[in-house]
Amino acid sequence: IDIGSVYTKIIELDSRRNLISAKKIPMPYAAGSSSEKQKIDFDNFIKLILDCYPLRKLQEAKIALSLYSGYSTYTLVTLPRMPKKEMSFAAIAEAKRKMILSPGPEAVFESLLLAEKQVDKAYKSEILVIKTEKQSVDERLDVFKKVGVLPKLITTSSFAVINSISPEEILQN
């Protein structure tokens, strides 16, 4: 389920990741919300989704949510090569230091290794770090919790494709 600013796209795949169906529904906004900070009418939103897919089918499915990228801030950091777990922590710490708008206590971060390059006889890692406000994630989670559905994956649309592909598939291609 890709939650965009204008449309929400719902893609249904089978266990082998073959396309079963694809639907697009308009995002319902609450009456009277400002154009710059439109508030989603979440009751109507879940009703539109349930019109496409029965509740039982949603509850049995593995749901992945992709959040609209406009809710996020992105930065690229370059670090010396290090173990993956340490790299993620170091990249997020560096991104927090680099960001013009400092993240509040309610920000959540995700990182992705883009490339490793040799620079002056040393290996460097280029890492993309994305910051999203926790409130935007919680609002979307609450909608699904109301109907007994808990997404297995929540990501920004920037990471949606890479997170939906297994590492084996990436290496094959």
Side-chain angles (χ1 to χ4, degrees), residues 1 27 37-38 52 69 86 89 104 120 130 133 149 165-166:
I1 299 175
M27 283 304 295
K37 186 74 174 172
Q38 292 182 318
C52 296
S69 296
E86 289 177 33
F89 288 118
D120 298 329
I130 295 184
E133 293 306 318
V149 174
I165 301 172
S166 71

Side-chain angles (χ1 to χ4, degrees), residues 78-83 86-87 113 116-117 122-125:
T78 303
L79 297 171
R81 188 163 52 172
M82 61 185 73
E86 289 177 33
M87 182 183 57
L113 175 65
E116 288 189 338
K117 298 179 180 180
Y123 283 94
K124 302 280 184 176
S125 300

Side-chain angles (χ1 to χ4, degrees), residues 12-125:
E12 184 179 7
L13 305 173
D14 65 15
S15 60
R16 293 185 178 166
R17 297 193 180 150
N18 296 314
L19 182 65
I20 295 174
S21 69
K23 297 189 176 13
K24 179 172 77 170
I25 60 172
M27 283 304 295
Y29 288 101
S33 58
S34 71
S35 59
E36 58 196 44
K37 186 74 174 172
Q38 292 182 318
K39 185 156 177 54
I40 297 170
D41 178 350
F42 286 112
D43 290 334
N44 196 21
F45 175 68
I46 200 69
K47 182 188 174 306
L48 290 170
I49 291 174
L50 293 174
D51 287 346
C52 296
Y53 295 96
L55 180 58
R56 181 177 165 95
K57 192 172 192 176
L58 282 177
Q59 290 171 332
E60 292 173 353
K62 291 181 182 174
I63 304 289
L65 286 184
S66 174
L67 304 174
Y68 168 57
S69 296
Y71 299 139
S72 304
T73 304
Y74 311 83
T75 191
L76 185 66
V77 297
T78 303
L79 297 171
R81 188 163 52 172
M82 61 185 73
K84 189 175 182 176
K85 191 172 184 175
E86 289 177 33
M87 182 183 57
S88 179
F89 288 118
I92 290 169
E94 178 65 12
K96 286 178 180 179
R97 190 186 67 73
K98 245 175 103 170
M99 288 184 171
I100 294 169
L101 296 173
S102 66
E106 296 296 315
V108 290
F109 291 84
E110 188 171 357
S111 65
L112 176 70
L113 175 65
L114 296 177
E116 288 189 338
K117 298 179 180 180
Q118 189 171 359
V119 180
D120 298 329
K121 298 183 182 180
Y123 283 94
K124 302 280 184 176
S125 300

Side-chain angles (χ1 to χ4, degrees), residues 143-155:
V143 169
F144 288 93
K145 285 178 184 176
K146 286 179 187 177
V147 294
V149 174
L150 188 61
K152 303 287 185 209
L153 170 71
I154 301 168
T155 187

